[in-house]
Amino acid sequence: MTVIKNKPELLAPAGNMEKCKIALRYGADAVYLGGKMFGLRAFANNFSMEEIAEAAAYAHELGKKVYVTVNIFAHNEDLEQLPGYLLDLQQAGVDALLISDLGVWSVARKTVPAMPLHVSTQANTSNWAAVQAWQELGAERVVLARELGLDEIREIGAKTNVELEAFVHGAMCISYSGRCLLSSYLTGRDGNRGACVQACRWDYSLVEKNRPDESFDIEEDERGTYVMNSKDLCLINHIPELVEAGICSLKIEGRMKSIHYVATVVSVYRKAIDAYCDDPQHYQVTEAWREELEKVSHRPYTKGFAFGKPGSEGQVYTTSSYEQTHDFVGIVLAYDAESKRAYIEQRNNVKSGEVLELLMPDGELLPLTLEGMQNEAGESIDCAPHAQQKFSIVSDKALLPDSLLRRKVIC
């Protein structure tokens, strides 16, 4: 009989404060985020130091945690501001730092010796000896390379006793654990220092050196071919194997994704982890969970390297576009039990009488008809066409703040 001694952590991305709070409200045990410096998502909104302190305080009130990425591959000029930045993060109350560069690690060990340090996936940790080496350097946790199979993870778990974290859902980088020079070569923006433009998602054609003015499609489609366009990772079916292999933290990718993406994916994995821990022997992925994961913007799903190198079946050669079955159209701001009115902020044009779908932070999913629509002045309206327009509707059911409204995509 399988007994779950320690429930695995559900770790979610937080690209800004709204996404941070949504992730925690929808069931994440912890979030990871980047500050204005030293992180690998320079194009995300990222957090000021004051916002990091706010996020940490919000998480701690819920009994949850905040981890901050300090995972660039630093050059000499990056090191001058690093000690002060680390001290500020400590003062802000963050729970751990994610680091990939050995020099940054050394500075952090000396500057904030009491701060828990996690080894970022950018460090490409792919064997048990490397995990042991990081542990000897004071690592509390190691985020494993995405290129590992379950058998390799199982062996690492058996030969080490440091916490292990692994990605279970989200976009896959075509370069080894994200260490890529393509963006730097083509645009001058260094992906290893936080400025990746995702050049691997562009469409490419073939040029022969003696005919530089002629280009040829490599294959597939009139717009080009997408030779480095990976499918998205989805390991919802394999939570038991991951936990039994020694993974203590299940990580979702997506700091650049929408709040709809974060809320939906976190909600599904929250249900899955709870179901597994409640009854490990009878864990089964429901069709409802699969349908939920199809509702958000994503590429076709793959199991990545979990059961061997994915090969061509792990790529999408015909397009770089995303797919989804539902659009995000609004978020509930508040509910007044006396008037039975729900107050909503529009995120896409909605009309009176529409039947939408509502996802609440507690995981409940239900239909919702837009009835009795009023603007902020209390005047009746037929639609809410303006970006982020605020309006209210009648609802006998109490709607939780941060509930999301969705509309099925009509093909």
Side-chain angles (χ1 to χ4, degrees), residues 35 74 94 111 134 144 163 172 196 221 267-268 295 299 320 387 396:
V94 304
T111 306
W134 279 114
L144 296 176
E163 291 182 1
M172 295 278 284
C196 182
D221 132 339
S267 180
V268 170
K295 292 175 182 177
R299 296 181 183 90
S320 65
D396 289 333

Side-chain angles (χ1 to χ4, degrees), residues 333-391:
L333 302 176
Y335 181 79
D336 181 11
E338 185 175 344
S339 64
K340 295 189 182 298
R341 297 196 72 85
Y343 294 85
I344 297 167
E345 183 177 279
Q346 178 257 49
R347 296 299 173 92
N348 206 323
N349 192 334
V350 292
K351 298 178 181 178
S352 178
E354 274 196 271
V355 180
L356 303 174
E357 183 177 81
L358 187 84
L359 174 65
M360 296 213 284
D362 62 3
E364 186 177 1
L365 193 66
L366 65 151
L368 179 72
T369 303
L370 299 185
E371 296 179 320
M373 286 182 67
Q374 294 181 353
N375 61 20
E376 289 185 274
E379 301 165 334
S380 294
I381 56 175
D382 294 324
C383 63
H386 307 299
Q388 294 187 286
Q389 180 177 348
K390 293 180 175 62
F391 65 95

